[in-house]
Amino acid sequence: MIDWLRTNEADPPPLDVVVIGGGAAGIGVSVALKDAGLENFAILERFRVGSSFSLWPDETRFITPSFPTNSIGMLDLNAVALGVSPAFSLKTEHPTGKDFARHLQDIVAHCELPLQEQTNVLGVTKVDGEFRIEIESATDTESEKQCIRAKNVVWAAGEYQYPRLDGIHGSKHCRHTATIDRYADLDGDDFVIIGGYESGIDAAFHLASRGKRVTLLDSACPWESSTADPSIALSPFSLQRMNDDRFKALVSLQPNCEASVINRVKGAYDVIATNGHSFKTPIAPLLATGFVGSHPLVAELFDARDDGFPLLNENDESTRVPGMFLCGPAVRHDNHIFCFIYKYRQRFAVVAKAIATSLGLPAEQLELYRNWGMYLDDLSCCGEECVC
Protein backbone atom coordinates (compact mmCIF):
# COMPACT_ATOMS: atom_id res chain seq x y z
CA MET A 1 0.00 0.00 0.00
CA ILE A 2 1.60 3.30 -1.02
CA ASP A 3 1.80 6.29 1.28
CA TRP A 4 -1.34 8.16 0.34
CA LEU A 5 -3.47 5.14 1.31
CA ARG A 6 -1.60 4.55 4.54
CA THR A 7 -2.99 6.23 7.60
CA ASN A 8 -3.07 5.68 11.32
CA GLU A 9 -6.19 7.77 11.74
CA ALA A 10 -9.36 5.96 12.74
CA ASP A 11 -11.41 8.16 10.42
CA PRO A 12 -9.09 9.80 7.84
CA PRO A 13 -10.40 12.78 5.85
CA PRO A 14 -11.80 12.03 2.41
CA LEU A 15 -9.78 12.41 -0.76
CA ASP A 16 -10.91 15.17 -3.09
CA VAL A 17 -11.17 12.73 -6.00
CA VAL A 18 -10.75 9.05 -6.71
CA VAL A 19 -10.17 8.14 -10.36
CA ILE A 20 -11.14 4.55 -11.11
CA GLY A 21 -9.18 3.13 -14.02
CA GLY A 22 -5.58 3.51 -15.19
CA GLY A 23 -6.09 3.48 -18.95
CA ALA A 24 -6.06 6.33 -21.45
CA ALA A 25 -9.07 8.06 -19.86
CA GLY A 26 -7.98 7.59 -16.25
CA ILE A 27 -4.42 8.78 -16.82
CA GLY A 28 -5.48 11.65 -19.07
CA VAL A 29 -8.08 13.07 -16.69
CA SER A 30 -5.65 12.64 -13.79
CA VAL A 31 -3.09 14.85 -15.54
CA ALA A 32 -5.87 17.43 -16.05
CA LEU A 33 -6.81 17.21 -12.37
CA LYS A 34 -3.20 17.83 -11.39
CA ASP A 35 -3.01 20.77 -13.82
CA ALA A 36 -6.17 22.10 -12.16
CA GLY A 37 -4.31 22.27 -8.86
CA LEU A 38 -5.59 19.11 -7.17
CA GLU A 39 -3.16 17.18 -4.98
CA ASN A 40 -5.36 15.12 -2.68
CA PHE A 41 -6.51 12.45 -5.14
CA ALA A 42 -5.81 8.86 -6.14
CA ILE A 43 -5.93 6.63 -9.23
CA LEU A 44 -7.03 3.03 -8.69
CA GLU A 45 -6.11 0.46 -11.33
CA ARG A 46 -7.28 -3.17 -11.12
CA PHE A 47 -4.20 -4.59 -12.85
CA ARG A 48 -1.44 -2.38 -14.28
CA VAL A 49 -1.60 0.93 -16.12
CA GLY A 50 -2.67 0.34 -19.71
CA SER A 51 -3.55 -3.31 -19.12
CA SER A 52 -6.46 -3.24 -21.60
CA PHE A 53 -4.06 -2.14 -24.33
CA SER A 54 -1.53 -4.79 -23.29
CA LEU A 55 -4.18 -7.45 -23.95
CA TRP A 56 -4.61 -6.52 -27.62
CA PRO A 57 -3.46 -9.15 -30.13
CA ASP A 58 0.21 -8.57 -30.85
CA GLU A 59 -0.48 -7.58 -34.46
CA THR A 60 -3.25 -5.07 -33.69
CA ARG A 61 -2.29 -1.42 -34.03
CA PHE A 62 -3.93 1.95 -33.46
CA ILE A 63 -6.12 2.91 -36.39
CA THR A 64 -5.42 6.58 -35.64
CA PRO A 65 -1.95 7.71 -36.73
CA SER A 66 0.49 9.33 -34.34
CA PHE A 67 2.72 12.21 -35.38
CA PRO A 68 4.81 14.62 -33.24
CA THR A 69 3.06 17.84 -34.24
CA ASN A 70 3.39 19.67 -30.90
CA SER A 71 5.95 22.09 -32.39
CA ILE A 72 3.28 23.53 -34.71
CA GLY A 73 0.56 23.73 -32.08
CA MET A 74 -1.31 20.51 -32.89
CA LEU A 75 -1.59 17.59 -30.50
CA ASP A 76 -0.80 14.02 -31.53
CA LEU A 77 -4.14 12.25 -32.15
CA ASN A 78 -3.24 9.53 -29.66
CA ALA A 79 -1.93 11.81 -26.91
CA VAL A 80 -3.86 11.94 -23.63
CA ALA A 81 -2.08 14.94 -22.11
CA LEU A 82 -0.43 18.20 -23.11
CA GLY A 83 3.26 18.10 -23.96
CA VAL A 84 3.43 14.42 -24.90
CA SER A 85 3.36 12.51 -28.18
CA PRO A 86 3.28 8.71 -28.50
CA ALA A 87 4.90 9.08 -31.92
CA PHE A 88 7.85 10.93 -30.40
CA SER A 89 8.38 8.61 -27.45
CA LEU A 90 7.51 5.33 -29.19
CA LYS A 91 8.93 6.24 -32.61
CA THR A 92 6.05 4.61 -34.46
CA GLU A 93 3.05 5.95 -36.37
CA HIS A 94 0.54 3.23 -35.48
CA PRO A 95 1.43 1.94 -32.00
CA THR A 96 0.61 -1.55 -30.81
CA GLY A 97 -1.39 -1.99 -27.63
CA LYS A 98 1.73 -2.88 -25.67
CA ASP A 99 3.48 0.19 -27.06
CA PHE A 100 0.70 2.45 -25.85
CA ALA A 101 0.54 0.83 -22.42
CA ARG A 102 4.22 1.65 -22.03
CA HIS A 103 3.51 5.23 -23.09
CA LEU A 104 0.83 5.58 -20.39
CA GLN A 105 3.22 4.16 -17.78
CA ASP A 106 5.81 6.75 -18.80
CA ILE A 107 3.25 9.55 -18.29
CA VAL A 108 2.48 8.29 -14.78
CA ALA A 109 6.18 8.36 -13.91
CA HIS A 110 6.87 11.73 -15.55
CA CYS A 111 3.85 13.47 -13.96
CA GLU A 112 4.28 11.67 -10.63
CA LEU A 113 0.64 10.70 -10.54
CA PRO A 114 -0.77 9.14 -7.32
CA LEU A 115 -1.36 5.63 -8.61
CA GLN A 116 -2.34 2.41 -6.83
CA GLU A 117 -2.14 -0.67 -9.09
CA GLN A 118 -3.40 -4.19 -8.35
CA THR A 119 -6.45 -2.65 -6.70
CA ASN A 120 -9.90 -3.98 -7.46
CA VAL A 121 -12.88 -1.71 -6.81
CA LEU A 122 -15.61 -3.81 -5.20
CA GLY A 123 -18.27 -1.12 -4.99
CA VAL A 124 -19.01 2.60 -5.04
CA THR A 125 -21.77 4.15 -2.93
CA LYS A 126 -22.57 7.64 -1.73
CA VAL A 127 -23.51 8.07 1.92
CA ASP A 128 -24.14 11.36 3.74
CA GLY A 129 -22.68 13.39 0.88
CA GLU A 130 -19.47 11.37 0.54
CA PHE A 131 -18.47 8.44 -1.62
CA ARG A 132 -17.39 5.13 -0.14
CA ILE A 133 -15.13 3.14 -2.46
CA GLU A 134 -14.66 -0.44 -1.33
CA ILE A 135 -11.36 -1.80 -2.62
CA GLU A 136 -9.27 -4.94 -2.43
CA SER A 137 -5.54 -4.44 -2.96
CA ALA A 138 -3.29 -7.36 -3.80
CA THR A 139 0.40 -7.92 -3.20
CA ASP A 140 2.56 -10.93 -3.96
CA THR A 141 1.66 -12.51 -0.64
CA GLU A 142 -1.72 -11.18 0.49
CA SER A 143 -4.74 -9.04 -0.25
CA GLU A 144 -6.29 -6.33 1.86
CA LYS A 145 -9.78 -4.86 1.83
CA GLN A 146 -10.27 -1.21 2.60
CA CYS A 147 -12.79 1.60 2.30
CA ILE A 148 -11.72 4.92 0.83
CA ARG A 149 -13.78 8.07 1.27
CA ALA A 150 -13.91 10.71 -1.44
CA LYS A 151 -15.76 13.89 -2.30
CA ASN A 152 -15.81 13.04 -6.01
CA VAL A 153 -15.34 9.95 -8.16
CA VAL A 154 -14.31 9.77 -11.82
CA TRP A 155 -15.32 6.48 -13.44
CA ALA A 156 -12.73 5.83 -16.16
CA ALA A 157 -12.67 2.04 -16.14
CA GLY A 158 -13.01 1.81 -19.92
CA GLU A 159 -14.59 -0.98 -21.89
CA TYR A 160 -12.01 -3.20 -23.53
CA GLN A 161 -11.86 -5.72 -20.71
CA TYR A 162 -15.56 -6.48 -21.23
CA PRO A 163 -16.06 -8.10 -24.67
CA ARG A 164 -19.61 -8.44 -25.95
CA LEU A 165 -20.34 -12.16 -25.91
CA ASP A 166 -24.13 -12.34 -26.06
CA GLY A 167 -26.78 -11.44 -28.62
CA ILE A 168 -26.26 -14.45 -30.88
CA HIS A 169 -27.70 -17.86 -30.03
CA GLY A 170 -24.79 -20.26 -29.74
CA SER A 171 -22.14 -17.56 -29.29
CA LYS A 172 -20.58 -19.80 -26.62
CA HIS A 173 -19.05 -21.72 -29.54
CA CYS A 174 -17.17 -18.60 -30.68
CA ARG A 175 -13.98 -16.87 -29.66
CA HIS A 176 -13.90 -13.11 -29.21
CA THR A 177 -11.03 -11.30 -30.92
CA ALA A 178 -10.21 -9.67 -27.57
CA THR A 179 -9.05 -13.07 -26.27
CA ILE A 180 -6.52 -13.67 -29.05
CA ASP A 181 -2.84 -13.19 -28.20
CA ARG A 182 -1.47 -13.48 -31.74
CA TYR A 183 -3.30 -14.09 -35.02
CA ALA A 184 -0.15 -15.84 -36.21
CA ASP A 185 -0.82 -18.59 -33.64
CA LEU A 186 -4.31 -19.47 -34.93
CA ASP A 187 -4.43 -22.87 -36.63
CA GLY A 188 -6.58 -23.52 -39.66
CA ASP A 189 -7.13 -22.10 -43.12
CA ASP A 190 -10.83 -21.18 -43.28
CA PHE A 191 -12.30 -18.64 -40.83
CA VAL A 192 -15.65 -16.96 -40.24
CA ILE A 193 -15.61 -13.55 -38.56
CA ILE A 194 -18.80 -12.01 -37.18
CA GLY A 195 -18.61 -8.23 -37.18
CA GLY A 196 -17.25 -5.98 -39.92
CA TYR A 197 -16.16 -2.89 -38.05
CA GLU A 198 -12.56 -2.10 -37.04
CA SER A 199 -11.70 -5.23 -35.06
CA GLY A 200 -13.33 -7.48 -37.67
CA ILE A 201 -11.38 -5.89 -40.52
CA ASP A 202 -8.22 -6.05 -38.42
CA ALA A 203 -8.66 -9.78 -37.79
CA ALA A 204 -9.49 -10.48 -41.45
CA PHE A 205 -6.45 -8.53 -42.63
CA HIS A 206 -4.00 -10.40 -40.41
CA LEU A 207 -5.46 -13.78 -41.28
CA ALA A 208 -5.48 -13.04 -45.01
CA SER A 209 -1.89 -11.81 -44.74
CA ARG A 210 -1.02 -15.35 -43.68
CA GLY A 211 -2.86 -16.95 -46.56
CA LYS A 212 -6.03 -17.80 -44.60
CA ARG A 213 -9.47 -17.66 -46.20
CA VAL A 214 -11.98 -15.49 -44.36
CA THR A 215 -15.72 -14.99 -44.59
CA LEU A 216 -16.69 -11.76 -42.85
CA LEU A 217 -20.32 -11.14 -41.86
CA ASP A 218 -21.83 -7.84 -40.80
CA SER A 219 -25.42 -6.83 -40.10
CA ALA A 220 -24.83 -3.63 -42.10
CA CYS A 221 -22.13 -2.53 -44.52
CA PRO A 222 -19.68 -0.29 -42.65
CA TRP A 223 -17.06 -0.38 -45.40
CA GLU A 224 -19.46 1.52 -47.68
CA SER A 225 -20.77 4.03 -45.14
CA SER A 226 -21.33 7.51 -46.55
CA THR A 227 -20.82 9.32 -43.23
CA ALA A 228 -17.59 11.08 -42.27
CA ASP A 229 -18.15 10.38 -38.56
CA PRO A 230 -15.29 8.06 -37.54
CA SER A 231 -17.45 6.65 -34.76
CA ILE A 232 -19.60 5.03 -37.44
CA ALA A 233 -17.51 4.74 -40.62
CA LEU A 234 -14.38 2.64 -40.98
CA SER A 235 -11.07 4.42 -40.58
CA PRO A 236 -8.86 5.17 -43.60
CA PHE A 237 -6.32 2.77 -42.05
CA SER A 238 -8.82 -0.10 -42.30
CA LEU A 239 -10.07 0.90 -45.75
CA GLN A 240 -6.49 0.96 -46.99
CA ARG A 241 -5.94 -2.54 -45.64
CA MET A 242 -9.04 -3.74 -47.46
CA ASN A 243 -7.36 -2.73 -50.73
CA ASP A 244 -4.47 -5.08 -50.05
CA ASP A 245 -4.27 -7.75 -52.78
CA ARG A 246 -4.32 -10.61 -50.26
CA PHE A 247 -7.33 -9.16 -48.50
CA LYS A 248 -9.27 -8.79 -51.75
CA ALA A 249 -8.35 -12.31 -52.84
CA LEU A 250 -9.00 -14.17 -49.61
CA VAL A 251 -11.70 -12.23 -47.71
CA SER A 252 -15.34 -12.69 -48.70
CA LEU A 253 -17.40 -9.74 -47.46
CA GLN A 254 -21.02 -10.53 -46.54
CA PRO A 255 -22.85 -7.21 -45.91
CA ASN A 256 -26.39 -7.01 -44.49
CA CYS A 257 -25.87 -10.50 -43.17
CA GLU A 258 -26.62 -10.69 -39.46
CA ALA A 259 -25.56 -13.87 -37.67
CA SER A 260 -28.45 -15.26 -35.63
CA VAL A 261 -27.56 -18.86 -34.73
CA ILE A 262 -24.27 -20.72 -34.37
CA ASN A 263 -24.44 -24.51 -34.25
CA ARG A 264 -21.69 -27.00 -33.64
CA VAL A 265 -22.16 -30.17 -35.66
CA LYS A 266 -19.67 -33.05 -35.69
CA GLY A 267 -16.71 -30.91 -34.72
CA ALA A 268 -17.52 -28.15 -37.22
CA TYR A 269 -19.46 -24.91 -36.94
CA ASP A 270 -22.45 -23.62 -38.87
CA VAL A 271 -23.20 -19.88 -38.74
CA ILE A 272 -26.77 -19.16 -39.84
CA ALA A 273 -27.73 -15.61 -40.78
CA THR A 274 -31.13 -13.94 -40.56
CA ASN A 275 -31.28 -13.85 -44.36
CA GLY A 276 -31.12 -17.66 -44.40
CA HIS A 277 -27.54 -17.98 -45.59
CA SER A 278 -25.36 -20.57 -43.88
CA PHE A 279 -21.59 -20.44 -43.47
CA LYS A 280 -19.67 -23.53 -42.38
CA THR A 281 -16.20 -23.57 -40.90
CA PRO A 282 -14.04 -26.16 -39.12
CA ILE A 283 -12.71 -23.46 -36.79
CA ALA A 284 -14.56 -21.71 -33.97
CA PRO A 285 -16.00 -18.48 -35.46
CA LEU A 286 -14.40 -15.25 -34.31
CA LEU A 287 -16.58 -12.61 -32.68
CA ALA A 288 -15.65 -9.04 -33.55
CA THR A 289 -18.81 -7.69 -31.96
CA GLY A 290 -17.31 -5.00 -29.77
CA PHE A 291 -17.51 -4.43 -26.04
CA VAL A 292 -20.24 -3.77 -23.49
CA GLY A 293 -18.12 -1.34 -21.46
CA SER A 294 -17.64 -0.98 -17.74
CA HIS A 295 -20.41 1.55 -17.10
CA PRO A 296 -23.02 -1.18 -16.37
CA LEU A 297 -20.96 -1.96 -13.24
CA VAL A 298 -22.06 1.38 -11.76
CA ALA A 299 -25.41 1.68 -13.53
CA GLU A 300 -27.21 2.45 -10.27
CA LEU A 301 -25.22 5.70 -9.97
CA PHE A 302 -26.41 7.06 -13.32
CA ASP A 303 -29.71 7.65 -15.03
CA ALA A 304 -29.79 6.00 -18.45
CA ARG A 305 -30.26 7.44 -21.91
CA ASP A 306 -32.58 5.73 -24.37
CA ASP A 307 -29.57 3.92 -25.85
CA GLY A 308 -28.51 2.60 -22.44
CA PHE A 309 -25.47 4.83 -21.98
CA PRO A 310 -25.19 6.97 -18.84
CA LEU A 311 -27.10 10.25 -18.84
CA LEU A 312 -24.69 13.10 -18.11
CA ASN A 313 -24.97 16.80 -17.44
CA GLU A 314 -22.86 19.40 -19.25
CA ASN A 315 -19.85 18.51 -17.05
CA ASP A 316 -20.03 14.74 -17.71
CA GLU A 317 -21.45 14.31 -14.22
CA SER A 318 -24.20 11.92 -13.26
CA THR A 319 -27.65 13.50 -13.23
CA ARG A 320 -28.60 11.10 -10.43
CA VAL A 321 -25.59 11.23 -8.09
CA PRO A 322 -23.73 14.58 -7.95
CA GLY A 323 -19.95 14.19 -7.80
CA MET A 324 -19.93 11.03 -9.92
CA PHE A 325 -18.22 11.76 -13.25
CA LEU A 326 -17.61 9.69 -16.37
CA CYS A 327 -14.56 9.78 -18.64
CA GLY A 328 -13.78 7.61 -21.64
CA PRO A 329 -15.45 5.94 -24.64
CA ALA A 330 -18.87 5.63 -22.98
CA VAL A 331 -19.39 9.41 -22.89
CA ARG A 332 -22.37 10.47 -25.00
CA HIS A 333 -24.08 13.82 -25.52
CA ASP A 334 -27.11 13.96 -27.81
CA ASN A 335 -25.85 12.26 -31.00
CA HIS A 336 -22.18 12.86 -30.25
CA ILE A 337 -20.12 9.73 -29.57
CA PHE A 338 -16.80 10.21 -27.78
CA CYS A 339 -15.41 6.74 -28.45
CA PHE A 340 -11.82 7.47 -29.54
CA ILE A 341 -8.99 8.98 -27.52
CA TYR A 342 -8.87 12.17 -29.58
CA LYS A 343 -12.60 12.57 -28.92
CA TYR A 344 -13.00 11.83 -25.24
CA ARG A 345 -9.78 13.60 -24.23
CA GLN A 346 -11.57 16.85 -25.16
CA ARG A 347 -13.72 16.36 -22.05
CA PHE A 348 -10.92 15.81 -19.48
CA ALA A 349 -10.59 19.53 -18.74
CA VAL A 350 -14.38 19.88 -18.49
CA VAL A 351 -14.44 17.29 -15.71
CA ALA A 352 -11.32 18.67 -14.01
CA LYS A 353 -12.70 22.22 -14.09
CA ALA A 354 -16.03 21.15 -12.56
CA ILE A 355 -14.29 19.30 -9.74
CA ALA A 356 -11.77 22.09 -9.12
CA THR A 357 -14.57 24.68 -9.00
CA SER A 358 -16.48 22.61 -6.44
CA LEU A 359 -13.34 22.64 -4.28
CA GLY A 360 -12.78 26.38 -4.64
CA LEU A 361 -9.77 26.11 -6.97
CA PRO A 362 -9.49 28.55 -9.91
CA ALA A 363 -7.87 25.96 -12.22
CA GLU A 364 -6.53 28.71 -14.47
CA GLN A 365 -3.98 26.42 -16.11
CA LEU A 366 -6.79 24.44 -17.72
CA GLU A 367 -7.38 27.36 -20.10
CA LEU A 368 -4.23 26.20 -21.92
CA TYR A 369 -6.14 23.07 -22.89
CA ARG A 370 -8.37 25.11 -25.20
CA ASN A 371 -5.41 26.04 -27.39
CA TRP A 372 -4.69 22.36 -27.97
CA GLY A 373 -8.20 21.11 -28.70
CA MET A 374 -8.46 19.55 -25.26
CA TYR A 375 -11.29 21.61 -23.75
CA LEU A 376 -14.53 21.06 -25.61
CA ASP A 377 -17.32 22.62 -23.57
CA ASP A 378 -19.36 23.86 -26.52
CA LEU A 379 -20.82 20.93 -28.45
CA SER A 380 -22.58 23.16 -30.98
CA CYS A 381 -19.44 23.05 -33.12
CA CYS A 382 -19.59 19.26 -33.42
CA GLY A 383 -21.29 17.28 -36.16
CA GLU A 384 -19.94 18.91 -39.32
CA GLU A 385 -19.59 16.36 -42.13
CA CYS A 386 -16.82 16.30 -44.74
CA VAL A 387 -18.04 17.40 -48.17
CA CYS A 388 -15.22 15.92 -50.26
Side-chain angles (χ1 to χ4, degrees), residues 7 16 55 57 89 145 175 205 225 231-232 289 314 318 325 347:
T7 179
D16 288 333
L55 294 173
S89 60
K145 291 186 178 180
R175 184 176 184 184
F205 172 80
S225 174
S231 300
I232 301 171
T289 48
E314 67 276 9
S318 168
F325 294 83
R347 303 292 294 177

Side-chain angles (χ1 to χ4, degrees), residues 23-26 28 53 80 100 158-160 316 326-331 337-349 351 374:
F53 294 102
V80 299
F100 198 74
E159 62 179 63
Y160 298 112
D316 293 354
L326 180 68
C327 278
V331 172
I337 304 173
F338 294 84
C339 60
F340 291 120
I341 288 173
Y342 65 86
K343 286 189 164 190
Y344 61 72
R345 73 183 183 188
Q346 298 177 102
R347 303 292 294 177
F348 294 162
V351 170
M374 286 270 284

Side-chain angles (χ1 to χ4, degrees), residues 168-171 194 258-263 270-274:
I168 304 173
H169 183 72
S171 59
I194 300 170
E258 182 177 4
S260 61
V261 178
I262 301 163
N263 295 318
D270 187 13
V271 180
I272 302 172
T274 53

Side-chain angles (χ1 to χ4, degrees), residues 260-318:
S260 61
V261 178
I262 301 163
N263 295 318
R264 187 172 186 182
V265 182
K266 296 181 179 179
Y269 302 86
D270 187 13
V271 180
I272 302 172
T274 53
N275 60 11
H277 292 178
S278 175
F279 305 91
K280 294 179 172 58
T281 173
I283 305 158
L286 301 182
L287 288 178
T289 48
F291 302 82
V292 296
S294 65
H295 56 276
L297 300 176
V298 286
E300 71 279 3
L301 300 177
F302 292 89
D303 291 319
R305 291 164 36 117
D306 291 341
D307 59 6
F309 284 92
L311 183 64
L312 307 172
N313 69 11
E314 67 276 9
N315 296 318
D316 293 354
E317 183 180 16
S318 168

Side-chain angles (χ1 to χ4, degrees), residues 55-58 175-183 186 286:
L55 294 173
W56 283 9
D58 283 354
R175 184 176 184 184
H176 199 282
T177 55
T179 68
I180 294 172
D181 293 327
R182 297 175 71 239
Y183 288 110
L186 296 183
L286 301 182

